[in-house]
Amino acid sequence: MPLPVPVSPAPVSPPRTSRNSALTEAHPELECGIGAWDKLLYGNHRFVVEVVHVGEEAQETHLPASAHRVVIPWRRQDHHPASVDVIIVSEKSGTRVRNVLVEEASRESGSIIFEAVDGLGMYFVYYLPYAMLGKPHYPQAQYLPHRPAAEPAWAAAVGRSAWVPAKRELPKATVLRYEAASERDTFAPMNFTARMDELEKFHRAYGGQAFLVFPEDRLHPISMQGDLPAHWVINGPGTTFTANARPGEDYVVQLGLYAQQDLAAVTVEVTAPSGGHCINTDGVDRLGRPWQRTLALRAGQVQALYVILPVPRNAAGTTVEALVRITATGISATGKVAQYVEVTLDVAADADTEPDGGFGDPRLLGRLAWLDSRVAQDAELVRPFTPITLDESSRTLGILGRSLRLAESGLPAQVTSTFTTAVTATDGPAVELFSAPMRLDVEGIDWTHGQLIFTEEGPGRTSWRCSWTGRKEGKSALTLELNGVLDADGAVSYSLHLSSEGTVDVNDVGLQLEFWEPAVPLAMGLGVPGGRRPESLDWAWDVSAKNQDALWLGSVNAGIQLALRDGSYERPLNTNFYREKPLVEPTSWANRQQSSGDAIVRGGVKLHTAGGMVTLNAFSGARTLIAGEPVDFDFRLLLTPFKPIEPTEHLGKRYFHAPENPADIKAAGATVVNVHHATAPAPFINDPLLTRDSLRNYVAECHGQGLKAKVYNTVRELTFRSPELLPLLHLDQEIFSDGPGEGHIWLQEHAGSGYVSAWFAPNVDDIAVVTTGESRWENFYVRSLHELAKGEDGIDGIYLDDIAYDRHAMLRVRKVLERACQSRGVDGPEIDLHSANQFTAHDGYASSANLYMEHLPYVDRLWLGEYFDYHTTDPDYWLVELSGIPFGLMGEMLEGGGNPWRGMVFGMTGRAPAVDNRPLWEFWAASGLESGQMQGFWDPQAPVRTSHPDVLATTWVTEHGMVVALASWVGETEDVTLIFDDDAAAQEVVAPGIPGFQSAASYAPGQAITLEPQRGLLLTIGY
């Protein structure tokens, strides 16, 4: 989750007013402007009213002389105006008016009597005040309930005014204008609703049409989806759109589609010499394939359509024309109906040509074209991966440090690793995982396998296919189409498409894997925390509560993750949001069946250990296979480790997790800066391009000090500061996850409903919405990274705070950043992944390392994270869940700064500036540790061990001697001796003084070393 940031109090300024010419015509009756006030006291909206005289008849009628009536045409979109409080404040003194009586409050207008406490002058009517409830970073705002505050006698006196003669009515205050607390908060012009009489006139004029189209300026994104903006109703729909454009830009035409009856099969066709399309219905999917959809609307629904029209770069001084044809099938009408909009763009003759679509001003929405980006959609390699080798005669494919031999079926027959036990190289002895080839067993079926056909799609990808046939005695024939894909990182994806010629009952369809027991001492997943493999496991599907579909088995230098999927797989939400969008249960593997009125899940996973083997059976249970209803038994394997760990690189790149003064950061000993969101260079979450200039300036300062600079940037949520947010909300939950809405008040007032509210950073007033996971937003994200990374002042990498996309997108991310670094001749990129411990109830009990394993080939370090236990967990948990070492990574600690002594055994520290690592960094440099050869306790060849099995030693062999990190997992103070595999035993052992870590000490050869629980030492030998 995002890290907490310092919270600054909301500024309290004297009320002020400014006018925005773009908004002055945005309300049918009033001017609109921007003011400044404390939003947390009064809300985001107000009307300015003026008291110009006091009623002369007040004494004759016994009415308070200062009582005035005002009728405000507020044109609200909230449905219960009478339930919301009204606050009135005098401009002259800033006094809140207590005598306020709301006579009537409808969506159209409000009639209010108030006491002009300061006589003539201006008064502010705040009509949507709210309270921010819930957690500071996950607020739940609510409008303040109506609370009568007027003195009873005053209220009784003014209440009689309705029965006095008209000439003795209360004097009326004049409504001057509407104001919002900021341009982003304003309801002008898109959120003022039409009056009933306006709607009646509108429907009389256009009631016979199935739908209407309203061209709208792209600077005014459509917000409301259940109400019509007042100016649409008053001015009517349109069939033409004319605007000014610049050469080279991707011009966005915004069209509001209003359904007057239920509509189906809505399509949008664009005819233009320069091309064009509607992003709602056409585009490029996240895998680079053509993407199309039709829309369906309910009667009364407003749907924003966004048409991208590329303006040729050589079109300066000309006109670009296009015809947009919208067709739909009306549910209650006959046949298709169509509407046309003629678009004319006058291209400026004296404007500079816009590079790359003209995204420079995000308010113009040109970045929406990035939803169709094909950047980095290729099968090329990234470092350190090597081209896939293929020996068809033996059906063996080779990748970095691993090989995959296939059986005749196309399923794996053997997985072999040559990673060393130190995981620092790939030239170790071969380790085989399987004791028998993998099988897909269908009860009672003997399969005949067709020819295995390979396709080399590029240096980074090879695929194969095979057809199986089989017949159960006396039953219909079965066929299975197998498609497999190996990527150079070690991901193996299988699609098994099982179909039947007729009805066949089978007792089970299951995947059988058999491992050599010594090869898989460790495990993680399916409810098993990372650590020592259990002897047995009996697991069943429960996606409502468990974000679990994958199990990893292995050791530090050889392993495999099995993830069970089918064709309906959708990436779930994570990090506090799992239950808003959980896993989609795989129909094939889970095999949910109705029995006596109850649903029974027959599928699951069993693991048992016997006879030197570990057997893993993913079963689906009894089912009936029906002709014409094929079943997809898909799964994915990840072969680990993905790459060698690089201790020298890891320790030499010292992270500073705050964008402070680069000179000070360098002086502190760090070499890499993380620019978090909610900070000055990049204040808004997951759209750092919004402040591109300030970010690039800061990166340039870092580069000037010899530092690398990375920026927080993920896709899990998106800031409301992105101008694209409202348009993206009109893409039918393609980009944003469906949910309960609510959350921050801005979202309730502008996004409506059907979203999941996310992180709020009060210090920069930044609000976010949760994305849905896998969508075209990945295209946008990858394209934006290209912009962030290019040029001398481009970023050197990214900081990922959890990941909401799959490994395909992660590979594109790596390619874009790596190619940008190569283009400017620098080493990189740097990508680090942070995650809180997700093995919790609200996260679905998913170990973070298992959940994100598919991304680890392209990550440089881990930072796991909040809520991890560094003190009571055992070394196997550290190794598998925290360190990253079995997967080719190294990491850092977060929660409470971690345990520095245990951390050093894995090459881990806390992260500066929250932890002062300077004493350790200075020791690393002075001792040569950071350039030494690391051999961890997990390596049987490690040169130093201890006399106690729960006191572990990791050694760095340097040009000066050895540095040994000791850490205790013993529950009490323990005396241990060092055990050497060479003559180093005869040398003195020294514990140098390291402030905050250890006091200086020395030990004679063979002398016992006393270690307190949960602590350790750094020792030098031979120095």
mmCIF file of all heavy atoms in Angstrom, residues 283-291 371-377 565 569-571 734 773-780 782 804-810 812 854:
data_model
loop_
_atom_site.group_PDB
_atom_site.id
_atom_site.type_symbol
_atom_site.label_atom_id
_atom_site.label_comp_id
_atom_site.label_asym_id
_atom_site.label_seq_id
_atom_site.Cartn_x
_atom_site.Cartn_y
_atom_site.Cartn_z
ATOM 1 N N GLY A 283 -10.261 -0.449 -30.749
ATOM 2 C CA GLY A 283 -8.928 -0.130 -30.280
ATOM 3 C C GLY A 283 -8.006 -1.322 -30.328
ATOM 4 O O GLY A 283 -8.170 -2.241 -31.147
ATOM 5 N N VAL A 284 -7.031 -1.309 -29.444
ATOM 6 C CA VAL A 284 -6.007 -2.344 -29.351
ATOM 7 C C VAL A 284 -6.007 -2.870 -27.921
ATOM 8 O O VAL A 284 -5.904 -2.086 -26.975
ATOM 9 C CB VAL A 284 -4.617 -1.777 -29.707
ATOM 10 C CG1 VAL A 284 -3.530 -2.829 -29.501
ATOM 11 C CG2 VAL A 284 -4.603 -1.266 -31.145
ATOM 12 N N ASP A 285 -6.118 -4.182 -27.750
ATOM 13 C CA ASP A 285 -6.177 -4.702 -26.385
ATOM 14 C C ASP A 285 -4.784 -4.736 -25.756
ATOM 15 O O ASP A 285 -3.778 -4.384 -26.394
ATOM 16 C CB ASP A 285 -6.881 -6.064 -26.341
ATOM 17 C CG ASP A 285 -6.028 -7.223 -26.842
ATOM 18 O OD1 ASP A 285 -4.836 -7.030 -27.182
ATOM 19 O OD2 ASP A 285 -6.543 -8.358 -26.880
ATOM 20 N N ARG A 286 -4.710 -5.185 -24.527
ATOM 21 C CA ARG A 286 -3.465 -5.105 -23.781
ATOM 22 C C ARG A 286 -2.395 -6.043 -24.332
ATOM 23 O O ARG A 286 -1.202 -5.878 -24.031
ATOM 24 C CB ARG A 286 -3.713 -5.418 -22.308
ATOM 25 C CG ARG A 286 -4.111 -6.849 -22.035
ATOM 26 C CD ARG A 286 -4.433 -7.108 -20.577
ATOM 27 N NE ARG A 286 -4.491 -8.538 -20.309
ATOM 28 C CZ ARG A 286 -3.441 -9.264 -19.980
ATOM 29 N NH1 ARG A 286 -2.263 -8.699 -19.873
ATOM 30 N NH2 ARG A 286 -3.556 -10.561 -19.751
ATOM 31 N N LEU A 287 -2.799 -7.017 -25.147
ATOM 32 C CA LEU A 287 -1.854 -7.945 -25.760
ATOM 33 C C LEU A 287 -1.476 -7.526 -27.173
ATOM 34 O O LEU A 287 -0.775 -8.261 -27.870
ATOM 35 C CB LEU A 287 -2.440 -9.356 -25.780
ATOM 36 C CG LEU A 287 -2.787 -9.949 -24.406
ATOM 37 C CD1 LEU A 287 -3.424 -11.323 -24.566
ATOM 38 C CD2 LEU A 287 -1.559 -10.027 -23.512
ATOM 39 N N GLY A 288 -1.965 -6.349 -27.606
ATOM 40 C CA GLY A 288 -1.631 -5.845 -28.930
ATOM 41 C C GLY A 288 -2.547 -6.316 -30.033
ATOM 42 O O GLY A 288 -2.260 -6.105 -31.211
ATOM 43 N N ARG A 289 -3.664 -6.930 -29.689
ATOM 44 C CA ARG A 289 -4.593 -7.452 -30.694
ATOM 45 C C ARG A 289 -5.725 -6.457 -30.929
ATOM 46 O O ARG A 289 -6.067 -5.661 -30.048
ATOM 47 C CB ARG A 289 -5.187 -8.780 -30.209
ATOM 48 C CG ARG A 289 -4.157 -9.835 -29.865
ATOM 49 C CD ARG A 289 -4.786 -11.024 -29.177
ATOM 50 N NE ARG A 289 -5.496 -10.650 -27.955
ATOM 51 C CZ ARG A 289 -5.907 -11.510 -27.034
ATOM 52 N NH1 ARG A 289 -5.667 -12.796 -27.194
ATOM 53 N NH2 ARG A 289 -6.548 -11.087 -25.962
ATOM 54 N N PRO A 290 -6.336 -6.481 -32.117
ATOM 55 C CA PRO A 290 -7.504 -5.611 -32.351
ATOM 56 C C PRO A 290 -8.592 -5.895 -31.331
ATOM 57 O O PRO A 290 -8.829 -7.054 -30.951
ATOM 58 C CB PRO A 290 -7.947 -5.997 -33.763
ATOM 59 C CG PRO A 290 -6.716 -6.543 -34.417
ATOM 60 C CD PRO A 290 -5.962 -7.246 -33.318
ATOM 61 N N TRP A 291 -9.235 -4.830 -30.885
ATOM 62 C CA TRP A 291 -10.233 -4.913 -29.805
ATOM 63 C C TRP A 291 -11.502 -4.210 -30.254
ATOM 64 O O TRP A 291 -11.441 -3.092 -30.791
ATOM 65 C CB TRP A 291 -9.669 -4.255 -28.555
ATOM 66 C CG TRP A 291 -10.591 -4.166 -27.372
ATOM 67 C CD1 TRP A 291 -10.706 -5.056 -26.359
ATOM 68 C CD2 TRP A 291 -11.503 -3.096 -27.063
ATOM 69 N NE1 TRP A 291 -11.637 -4.619 -25.430
ATOM 70 C CE2 TRP A 291 -12.139 -3.416 -25.847
ATOM 71 C CE3 TRP A 291 -11.848 -1.911 -27.705
ATOM 72 C CZ2 TRP A 291 -13.092 -2.598 -25.256
ATOM 73 C CZ3 TRP A 291 -12.795 -1.088 -27.122
ATOM 74 C CH2 TRP A 291 -13.411 -1.431 -25.916
ATOM 75 N N LEU A 371 -4.324 4.454 -25.007
ATOM 76 C CA LEU A 371 -5.011 3.184 -24.747
ATOM 77 C C LEU A 371 -4.765 2.181 -25.861
ATOM 78 O O LEU A 371 -4.943 0.970 -25.666
ATOM 79 C CB LEU A 371 -6.510 3.421 -24.593
ATOM 80 C CG LEU A 371 -6.963 4.197 -23.347
ATOM 81 C CD1 LEU A 371 -8.462 4.462 -23.429
ATOM 82 C CD2 LEU A 371 -6.630 3.437 -22.074
ATOM 83 N N ASP A 372 -4.363 2.662 -27.037
ATOM 84 C CA ASP A 372 -4.124 1.782 -28.188
ATOM 85 C C ASP A 372 -2.640 1.575 -28.456
ATOM 86 O O ASP A 372 -2.269 1.069 -29.516
ATOM 87 C CB ASP A 372 -4.788 2.366 -29.432
ATOM 88 C CG ASP A 372 -6.289 2.507 -29.277
ATOM 89 O OD1 ASP A 372 -6.886 1.632 -28.645
ATOM 90 O OD2 ASP A 372 -6.846 3.490 -29.777
ATOM 91 N N SER A 373 -1.784 1.960 -27.524
ATOM 92 C CA SER A 373 -0.344 1.873 -27.759
ATOM 93 C C SER A 373 0.116 0.420 -27.887
ATOM 94 O O SER A 373 -0.305 -0.450 -27.111
ATOM 95 C CB SER A 373 0.410 2.549 -26.618
ATOM 96 O OG SER A 373 1.801 2.318 -26.743
ATOM 97 N N ARG A 374 0.979 0.187 -28.861
ATOM 98 C CA ARG A 374 1.600 -1.134 -29.026
ATOM 99 C C ARG A 374 3.077 -1.110 -28.630
ATOM 100 O O ARG A 374 3.844 -1.992 -29.032
ATOM 101 C CB ARG A 374 1.459 -1.603 -30.482
ATOM 102 C CG ARG A 374 0.059 -2.064 -30.860
ATOM 103 C CD ARG A 374 0.073 -2.718 -32.243
ATOM 104 N NE ARG A 374 -1.159 -3.406 -32.550
ATOM 105 C CZ ARG A 374 -2.187 -2.865 -33.195
ATOM 106 N NH1 ARG A 374 -2.117 -1.599 -33.575
ATOM 107 N NH2 ARG A 374 -3.282 -3.561 -33.459
ATOM 108 N N VAL A 375 3.478 -0.142 -27.840
ATOM 109 C CA VAL A 375 4.865 -0.036 -27.420
ATOM 110 C C VAL A 375 5.300 -1.321 -26.714
ATOM 111 O O VAL A 375 4.600 -1.833 -25.840
ATOM 112 C CB VAL A 375 5.065 1.179 -26.494
ATOM 113 C CG1 VAL A 375 6.441 1.143 -25.844
ATOM 114 C CG2 VAL A 375 4.884 2.474 -27.263
ATOM 115 N N ALA A 376 6.449 -1.859 -27.136
ATOM 116 C CA ALA A 376 7.081 -3.036 -26.513
ATOM 117 C C ALA A 376 6.229 -4.298 -26.622
ATOM 118 O O ALA A 376 6.330 -5.182 -25.772
ATOM 119 C CB ALA A 376 7.448 -2.748 -25.056
ATOM 120 N N GLN A 377 5.414 -4.392 -27.656
ATOM 121 C CA GLN A 377 4.678 -5.636 -27.915
ATOM 122 C C GLN A 377 5.500 -6.475 -28.881
ATOM 123 O O GLN A 377 5.275 -6.491 -30.092
ATOM 124 C CB GLN A 377 3.297 -5.325 -28.541
ATOM 125 C CG GLN A 377 2.321 -4.632 -27.614
ATOM 126 C CD GLN A 377 1.633 -5.609 -26.657
ATOM 127 O OE1 GLN A 377 2.098 -6.725 -26.457
ATOM 128 N NE2 GLN A 377 0.535 -5.166 -26.058
ATOM 129 N N ARG A 565 -5.712 -22.284 -13.817
ATOM 130 C CA ARG A 565 -6.554 -21.272 -14.448
ATOM 131 C C ARG A 565 -7.540 -21.958 -15.398
ATOM 132 O O ARG A 565 -7.500 -23.153 -15.644
ATOM 133 C CB ARG A 565 -5.682 -20.291 -15.265
ATOM 134 C CG ARG A 565 -4.504 -19.692 -14.497
ATOM 135 C CD ARG A 565 -4.946 -18.521 -13.655
ATOM 136 N NE ARG A 565 -3.925 -18.025 -12.748
ATOM 137 C CZ ARG A 565 -2.915 -17.215 -13.083
ATOM 138 N NH1 ARG A 565 -2.773 -16.830 -14.333
ATOM 139 N NH2 ARG A 565 -2.067 -16.791 -12.175
ATOM 140 N N TYR A 569 -10.338 -16.703 -16.488
ATOM 141 C CA TYR A 569 -9.485 -16.072 -15.499
ATOM 142 C C TYR A 569 -9.459 -14.552 -15.668
ATOM 143 O O TYR A 569 -9.321 -14.038 -16.783
ATOM 144 C CB TYR A 569 -8.053 -16.600 -15.591
ATOM 145 C CG TYR A 569 -7.100 -15.898 -14.647
ATOM 146 C CD1 TYR A 569 -7.056 -16.243 -13.305
ATOM 147 C CD2 TYR A 569 -6.271 -14.872 -15.101
ATOM 148 C CE1 TYR A 569 -6.195 -15.594 -12.429
ATOM 149 C CE2 TYR A 569 -5.412 -14.221 -14.231
ATOM 150 C CZ TYR A 569 -5.372 -14.580 -12.899
ATOM 151 O OH TYR A 569 -4.529 -13.923 -12.039
ATOM 152 N N GLU A 570 -9.632 -13.846 -14.559
ATOM 153 C CA GLU A 570 -9.443 -12.401 -14.500
ATOM 154 C C GLU A 570 -8.598 -12.094 -13.279
ATOM 155 O O GLU A 570 -8.804 -12.672 -12.214
ATOM 156 C CB GLU A 570 -10.784 -11.658 -14.381
ATOM 157 C CG GLU A 570 -11.648 -11.732 -15.626
ATOM 158 C CD GLU A 570 -12.916 -10.905 -15.472
ATOM 159 O OE1 GLU A 570 -12.965 -10.062 -14.545
ATOM 160 O OE2 GLU A 570 -13.840 -11.099 -16.265
ATOM 161 N N ARG A 571 -7.679 -11.178 -13.457
ATOM 162 C CA ARG A 571 -6.810 -10.835 -12.342
ATOM 163 C C ARG A 571 -7.633 -10.185 -11.233
ATOM 164 O O ARG A 571 -8.352 -9.218 -11.475
ATOM 165 C CB ARG A 571 -5.705 -9.897 -12.802
ATOM 166 C CG ARG A 571 -4.637 -9.677 -11.764
ATOM 167 C CD ARG A 571 -3.474 -8.883 -12.311
ATOM 168 N NE ARG A 571 -2.400 -8.843 -11.333
ATOM 169 C CZ ARG A 571 -1.483 -9.792 -11.179
ATOM 170 N NH1 ARG A 571 -1.519 -10.847 -11.955
ATOM 171 N NH2 ARG A 571 -0.547 -9.688 -10.260
ATOM 172 N N GLU A 734 -14.228 -1.139 -17.706
ATOM 173 C CA GLU A 734 -13.049 -1.737 -18.329
ATOM 174 C C GLU A 734 -11.783 -1.323 -17.597
ATOM 175 O O GLU A 734 -10.891 -2.140 -17.352
ATOM 176 C CB GLU A 734 -12.932 -1.326 -19.796
ATOM 177 C CG GLU A 734 -11.710 -1.949 -20.474
ATOM 178 C CD GLU A 734 -11.262 -1.232 -21.719
ATOM 179 O OE1 GLU A 734 -11.949 -0.309 -22.177
ATOM 180 O OE2 GLU A 734 -10.185 -1.596 -22.227
ATOM 181 N N GLY A 773 -7.445 -3.960 -13.080
ATOM 182 C CA GLY A 773 -6.457 -5.018 -13.287
ATOM 183 C C GLY A 773 -6.028 -5.055 -14.732
ATOM 184 O O GLY A 773 -5.396 -4.115 -15.222
ATOM 185 N N GLU A 774 -6.371 -6.096 -15.457
ATOM 186 C CA GLU A 774 -5.898 -6.275 -16.822
ATOM 187 C C GLU A 774 -6.845 -5.579 -17.794
ATOM 188 O O GLU A 774 -8.009 -5.945 -17.907
ATOM 189 C CB GLU A 774 -5.779 -7.755 -17.132
ATOM 190 C CG GLU A 774 -4.740 -8.450 -16.253
ATOM 191 C CD GLU A 774 -4.752 -9.956 -16.402
ATOM 192 O OE1 GLU A 774 -5.679 -10.471 -17.062
ATOM 193 O OE2 GLU A 774 -3.849 -10.611 -15.874
ATOM 194 N N SER A 775 -6.333 -4.566 -18.500
ATOM 195 C CA SER A 775 -7.160 -3.810 -19.429
ATOM 196 C C SER A 775 -6.257 -3.009 -20.348
ATOM 197 O O SER A 775 -5.025 -3.059 -20.247
ATOM 198 C CB SER A 775 -8.095 -2.852 -18.666
ATOM 199 O OG SER A 775 -7.350 -1.783 -18.101
ATOM 200 N N ARG A 776 -6.865 -2.207 -21.224
ATOM 201 C CA ARG A 776 -6.087 -1.335 -22.106
ATOM 202 C C ARG A 776 -5.335 -0.257 -21.329
ATOM 203 O O ARG A 776 -4.485 0.430 -21.898
ATOM 204 C CB ARG A 776 -7.003 -0.685 -23.146
ATOM 205 C CG ARG A 776 -7.501 -1.622 -24.232
ATOM 206 C CD ARG A 776 -8.354 -0.880 -25.237
ATOM 207 N NE ARG A 776 -9.575 -0.374 -24.624
ATOM 208 C CZ ARG A 776 -10.349 0.555 -25.189
ATOM 209 N NH1 ARG A 776 -10.019 1.087 -26.353
ATOM 210 N NH2 ARG A 776 -11.456 0.953 -24.584
ATOM 211 N N TRP A 777 -5.649 -0.084 -20.050
ATOM 212 C CA TRP A 777 -4.903 0.871 -19.254
ATOM 213 C C TRP A 777 -3.426 0.498 -19.202
ATOM 214 O O TRP A 777 -2.555 1.364 -19.044
ATOM 215 C CB TRP A 777 -5.492 0.957 -17.850
ATOM 216 C CG TRP A 777 -4.909 2.072 -17.039
ATOM 217 C CD1 TRP A 777 -4.234 1.964 -15.865
ATOM 218 C CD2 TRP A 777 -4.954 3.475 -17.333
ATOM 219 N NE1 TRP A 777 -3.850 3.208 -15.408
ATOM 220 C CE2 TRP A 777 -4.280 4.154 -16.293
ATOM 221 C CE3 TRP A 777 -5.508 4.218 -18.382
ATOM 222 C CZ2 TRP A 777 -4.135 5.539 -16.270
ATOM 223 C CZ3 TRP A 777 -5.358 5.603 -18.354
ATOM 224 C CH2 TRP A 777 -4.679 6.242 -17.309
ATOM 225 N N GLU A 778 -3.107 -0.791 -19.366
ATOM 226 C CA GLU A 778 -1.711 -1.203 -19.435
ATOM 227 C C GLU A 778 -1.015 -0.543 -20.613
ATOM 228 O O GLU A 778 0.162 -0.165 -20.526
ATOM 229 C CB GLU A 778 -1.611 -2.724 -19.536
ATOM 230 C CG GLU A 778 -2.115 -3.444 -18.297
ATOM 231 C CD GLU A 778 -2.168 -4.949 -18.477
ATOM 232 O OE1 GLU A 778 -1.537 -5.457 -19.435
ATOM 233 O OE2 GLU A 778 -2.836 -5.624 -17.677
ATOM 234 N N ASN A 779 -1.701 -0.420 -21.749
ATOM 235 C CA ASN A 779 -1.118 0.253 -22.910
ATOM 236 C C ASN A 779 -0.780 1.700 -22.582
ATOM 237 O O ASN A 779 0.292 2.204 -22.929
ATOM 238 C CB ASN A 779 -2.082 0.202 -24.098
ATOM 239 C CG ASN A 779 -2.354 -1.206 -24.585
ATOM 240 O OD1 ASN A 779 -1.546 -2.116 -24.380
ATOM 241 N ND2 ASN A 779 -3.482 -1.412 -25.228
ATOM 242 N N PHE A 780 -1.712 2.364 -21.927
ATOM 243 C CA PHE A 780 -1.502 3.756 -21.519
ATOM 244 C C PHE A 780 -0.296 3.842 -20.586
ATOM 245 O O PHE A 780 0.580 4.701 -20.743
ATOM 246 C CB PHE A 780 -2.765 4.256 -20.824
ATOM 247 C CG PHE A 780 -2.746 5.723 -20.449
ATOM 248 C CD1 PHE A 780 -3.521 6.630 -21.139
ATOM 249 C CD2 PHE A 780 -1.978 6.189 -19.386
ATOM 250 C CE1 PHE A 780 -3.530 7.981 -20.794
ATOM 251 C CE2 PHE A 780 -1.965 7.520 -19.031
ATOM 252 C CZ PHE A 780 -2.746 8.426 -19.741
ATOM 253 N N VAL A 782 2.290 1.779 -20.095
ATOM 254 C CA VAL A 782 3.581 1.512 -20.735
ATOM 255 C C VAL A 782 4.000 2.705 -21.588
ATOM 256 O O VAL A 782 5.169 3.111 -21.601
ATOM 257 C CB VAL A 782 3.505 0.219 -21.570
ATOM 258 C CG1 VAL A 782 4.766 0.034 -22.398
ATOM 259 C CG2 VAL A 782 3.292 -0.985 -20.661
ATOM 260 N N ALA A 804 -0.712 -4.466 -10.159
ATOM 261 C CA ALA A 804 -2.084 -4.816 -10.540
ATOM 262 C C ALA A 804 -2.165 -5.310 -11.976
ATOM 263 O O ALA A 804 -3.251 -5.381 -12.535
ATOM 264 C CB ALA A 804 -3.005 -3.614 -10.348
ATOM 265 N N TYR A 805 -1.025 -5.631 -12.584
ATOM 266 C CA TYR A 805 -1.046 -6.182 -13.938
ATOM 267 C C TYR A 805 -0.254 -7.477 -13.979
ATOM 268 O O TYR A 805 0.399 -7.856 -13.006
ATOM 269 C CB TYR A 805 -0.510 -5.175 -14.966
ATOM 270 C CG TYR A 805 0.766 -4.463 -14.583
ATOM 271 C CD1 TYR A 805 2.012 -5.076 -14.681
ATOM 272 C CD2 TYR A 805 0.724 -3.150 -14.125
ATOM 273 C CE1 TYR A 805 3.180 -4.413 -14.346
ATOM 274 C CE2 TYR A 805 1.882 -2.470 -13.787
ATOM 275 C CZ TYR A 805 3.113 -3.109 -13.901
ATOM 276 O OH TYR A 805 4.262 -2.439 -13.559
ATOM 277 N N ASP A 806 -0.286 -8.159 -15.119
ATOM 278 C CA ASP A 806 0.329 -9.483 -15.198
ATOM 279 C C ASP A 806 1.752 -9.397 -15.733
ATOM 280 O O ASP A 806 2.288 -8.331 -15.998
ATOM 281 C CB ASP A 806 -0.530 -10.421 -16.043
ATOM 282 C CG ASP A 806 -0.527 -10.056 -17.519
ATOM 283 O OD1 ASP A 806 0.023 -8.998 -17.889
ATOM 284 O OD2 ASP A 806 -1.088 -10.829 -18.322
ATOM 285 N N ARG A 807 2.358 -10.557 -15.903
ATOM 286 C CA ARG A 807 3.753 -10.614 -16.322
ATOM 287 C C ARG A 807 3.944 -10.106 -17.740
ATOM 288 O O ARG A 807 5.028 -9.610 -18.078
ATOM 289 C CB ARG A 807 4.294 -12.045 -16.208
ATOM 290 C CG ARG A 807 3.519 -13.089 -17.010
ATOM 291 C CD ARG A 807 4.202 -14.444 -16.950
ATOM 292 N NE ARG A 807 5.535 -14.361 -17.483
ATOM 293 C CZ ARG A 807 5.808 -14.386 -18.784
ATOM 294 N NH1 ARG A 807 4.842 -14.464 -19.671
ATOM 295 N NH2 ARG A 807 7.056 -14.320 -19.199
ATOM 296 N N HIS A 808 2.933 -10.208 -18.586
ATOM 297 C CA HIS A 808 3.052 -9.676 -19.944
ATOM 298 C C HIS A 808 3.283 -8.169 -19.897
ATOM 299 O O HIS A 808 4.169 -7.639 -20.570
ATOM 300 C CB HIS A 808 1.786 -9.994 -20.750
ATOM 301 C CG HIS A 808 1.788 -9.376 -22.110
ATOM 302 N ND1 HIS A 808 2.422 -9.951 -23.187
ATOM 303 C CD2 HIS A 808 1.241 -8.220 -22.575
ATOM 304 C CE1 HIS A 808 2.269 -9.184 -24.253
ATOM 305 N NE2 HIS A 808 1.561 -8.122 -23.908
ATOM 306 N N ALA A 809 2.491 -7.473 -19.084
ATOM 307 C CA ALA A 809 2.682 -6.032 -18.937
ATOM 308 C C ALA A 809 4.009 -5.728 -18.258
ATOM 309 O O ALA A 809 4.699 -4.759 -18.615
ATOM 310 C CB ALA A 809 1.528 -5.428 -18.147
ATOM 311 N N MET A 810 4.397 -6.553 -17.279
ATOM 312 C CA MET A 810 5.659 -6.325 -16.582
ATOM 313 C C MET A 810 6.837 -6.433 -17.538
ATOM 314 O O MET A 810 7.807 -5.657 -17.436
ATOM 315 C CB MET A 810 5.785 -7.345 -15.456
ATOM 316 C CG MET A 810 6.949 -7.121 -14.522
ATOM 317 S SD MET A 810 6.713 -5.719 -13.419
ATOM 318 C CE MET A 810 8.211 -4.815 -13.713
ATOM 319 N N ARG A 812 6.745 -5.734 -20.752
ATOM 320 C CA ARG A 812 6.729 -4.510 -21.554
ATOM 321 C C ARG A 812 7.341 -3.344 -20.775
ATOM 322 O O ARG A 812 8.090 -2.531 -21.332
ATOM 323 C CB ARG A 812 5.299 -4.161 -21.965
ATOM 324 C CG ARG A 812 4.646 -5.152 -22.906
ATOM 325 C CD ARG A 812 3.209 -4.767 -23.178
ATOM 326 N NE ARG A 812 3.113 -3.529 -23.953
ATOM 327 C CZ ARG A 812 1.981 -2.848 -24.140
ATOM 328 N NH1 ARG A 812 0.853 -3.276 -23.580
ATOM 329 N NH2 ARG A 812 1.977 -1.748 -24.869
ATOM 330 N N GLU A 854 5.288 -14.096 -10.777
ATOM 331 C CA GLU A 854 5.377 -13.949 -12.226
ATOM 332 C C GLU A 854 6.097 -12.673 -12.633
ATOM 333 O O GLU A 854 6.601 -12.560 -13.756
ATOM 334 C CB GLU A 854 3.979 -13.967 -12.844
ATOM 335 C CG GLU A 854 3.100 -12.808 -12.420
ATOM 336 C CD GLU A 854 1.738 -12.825 -13.104
ATOM 337 O OE1 GLU A 854 1.644 -13.371 -14.225
ATOM 338 O OE2 GLU A 854 0.778 -12.300 -12.534
#
